[in-house]
Amino acid sequence: DVDGQTSTALLVQTLRTLGADVVHYIPVRSREGHGFHIESLEQILDNGARLVITCDTGITAYEAVDYANSRRVDVILTDHHELGEALPNARAVINPRLLPKDHPLANLAGVGVAYKLAEALLNSEPQSADLLDLVALGLIADVALLQGETRSLTQKGIEILRQGKRIGLRAIAELAGASLETLTEETIGFTFAPRLNALGRLGDANPAVDLLLTRDQVRARVLAAQIEGLNAQRRLLTSQVYEAAEARLRAEPELLNEAALILSHPNWPGGVVGIVANKLVEHHHKPAILLTESGDGILRG
């Protein structure tokens, strides 16, 4: 999602600023699912990685961290999700849920965690301030609680976004007919977030990181056009799945008497079932779960 994309872009930019040789990798959702897994990690390590830093994931990736340790590769976990029964055996674990609940940073999203690491590494206010546009984009897209420092970071980030320094975001805004100069939280939530999320929902989210980092205007326009096309596809698929779900409910009205709506279909794309479930909740005012049936007999949603 956008939180993971912005977290990744932020740390890649930071580490490159410090002279590191960095590559980024976001798992392809339809093939690898979410999270930090041995299967993808093995290839990364085979390609020569000597340090792995996770973004917005990894807090329960015990097996993957142990595998990296067995290959003598350190892992630094940056994440904001719920802690497991124990922490993975990583070199470092950075997660705001380790803080007291009343700590001002306890509600950081993944990009906020990445920013705090970058801030410490850079030890430079101008350089870290240049990252705040990514922080605002990720926090708002993740619907993070904005209060105290997170609110301050977001406000500063919006000011930087309005300056249009990231040509990739300028390219998206142009195609979407949005103005960066008058950008608000709504612009992020309803223009940028759906388009960037479409990549992860329907395909490979790695180009989103490239878009956020590129300084090549031609490359930015090409990536933005690809994203715009995927977003149109997402809207179409969402509409089709929603209509199919409603048709099922009309054909089997007894389902509406249940405490929750649970529907599945082998042809429903996993990347949009969550969106459709939310639409069903809004329409029918009860919990809804939509699942897609995969070839291995496992239902996912």
Side-chain angles (χ1 to χ4, degrees):
D1 60 8
V2 179
D3 190 25
Q5 295 165 10
T6 51
S7 303
T8 303
L10 189 152
L11 284 180
V12 169
Q13 180 175 328
T14 297
L15 293 169
R16 286 177 178 167
T17 297
L18 294 170
D21 180 11
V22 188
V23 294
H24 63 82
Y25 181 83
I26 298 177
V28 177
R29 179 175 182 171
S30 61
R31 188 172 65 242
E32 302 167 81
H34 295 288
F36 181 39
H37 303 293
I38 291 177
E39 292 76 15
S40 52
L41 179 60
E42 184 175 16
Q43 181 178 349
I44 292 169
L45 300 189
D46 287 346
N47 288 336
R50 303 309 307 154
L51 172 67
V52 175
I53 304 176
T54 71
C55 301
D56 193 32
T57 190
I59 197 61
T60 57
Y62 306 105
E63 293 180 358
V65 172
D66 287 343
Y67 175 74
N69 289 335
S70 74
R71 297 278 301 264
R72 304 176 69 85
V73 173
D74 287 336
V75 177
I76 297 173
L77 300 176
T78 77
D79 199 355
H80 71 115
H81 294 101
E82 287 284 353
L83 306 177
E85 294 183 0
L87 295 177
N89 189 28
R91 173 64 66 175
V93 177
I94 308 171
N95 188 316
R97 294 184 185 270
L98 293 167
L99 299 170
K101 290 185 178 180
D102 59 351
H103 192 283
L105 298 178
N107 59 348
L108 278 181
V111 70
V113 179
Y115 175 74
K116 283 300 175 182
L117 174 58
E119 191 177 43
L121 291 172
L122 291 168
N123 195 27
S124 164
E125 186 172 341
Q127 286 180 317
S128 57
D130 283 343
L131 302 168
L132 287 174
D133 53 348
L134 294 174
V135 176
L137 183 59
L139 287 176
I140 293 172
D142 207 52
V143 199
L145 179 63
L146 301 180
Q147 64 181 24
E149 184 166 357
T150 54
R151 183 175 181 82
S152 174
L153 293 174
T154 300
Q155 290 173 333
K156 293 175 182 176
I158 286 175
E159 290 301 320
I160 296 174
L161 282 167
R162 288 172 178 162
Q163 297 171 22
K165 292 182 177 181
R166 291 193 189 271
I167 60 175
L169 294 179
R170 284 210 312 265
I172 288 183
E174 289 172 6
L175 287 177
S179 169
L180 287 180
E181 290 76 12
T182 57
L183 175 141
T184 65
E185 292 89 342
E186 286 74 19
T187 313
I188 294 174
F190 296 102
T191 299
F192 289 126
R195 285 166 170 78
L196 292 171
N197 275 329
L199 281 171
R201 291 183 183 280
L202 300 181
D204 183 353
N206 285 283
V209 179
D210 297 331
L211 178 91
L212 294 171
L213 293 174
T214 188
R215 297 181 180 180
D216 183 321
Q217 291 195 7
V218 174
R219 175 71 171 154
R221 292 193 183 101
V222 169
L223 290 170
Q226 292 175 354
I227 289 171
E228 192 69 20
L230 276 174
N231 189 52
Q233 183 183 353
R234 175 196 61 81
R235 289 198 301 265
L236 176 61
L237 289 172
T238 299
S239 176
Q240 290 174 336
V241 173
Y242 178 73
E243 290 302 323
E246 288 288 7
R248 172 85 176 276
L249 293 173
R250 288 193 296 270
E252 302 178 52
E254 65 276 10
L255 293 174
L256 294 170
N257 297 325
E258 301 294 336
L261 303 175
I262 303 177
L263 305 173
S264 68
H265 195 282
N267 295 330
W268 286 348
V272 302
V273 291
I275 301 173
V276 176
N278 284 333
K279 290 169 69 72
L280 291 175
V281 170
E282 292 173 1
H283 186 195
H284 297 285
H285 308 292
K286 61 175 60 183
I289 300 173
L290 261 67
L291 303 164
T292 182
E293 304 169 15
S294 57
D296 56 10
I298 297 176
L299 298 176
R300 294 180 172 87

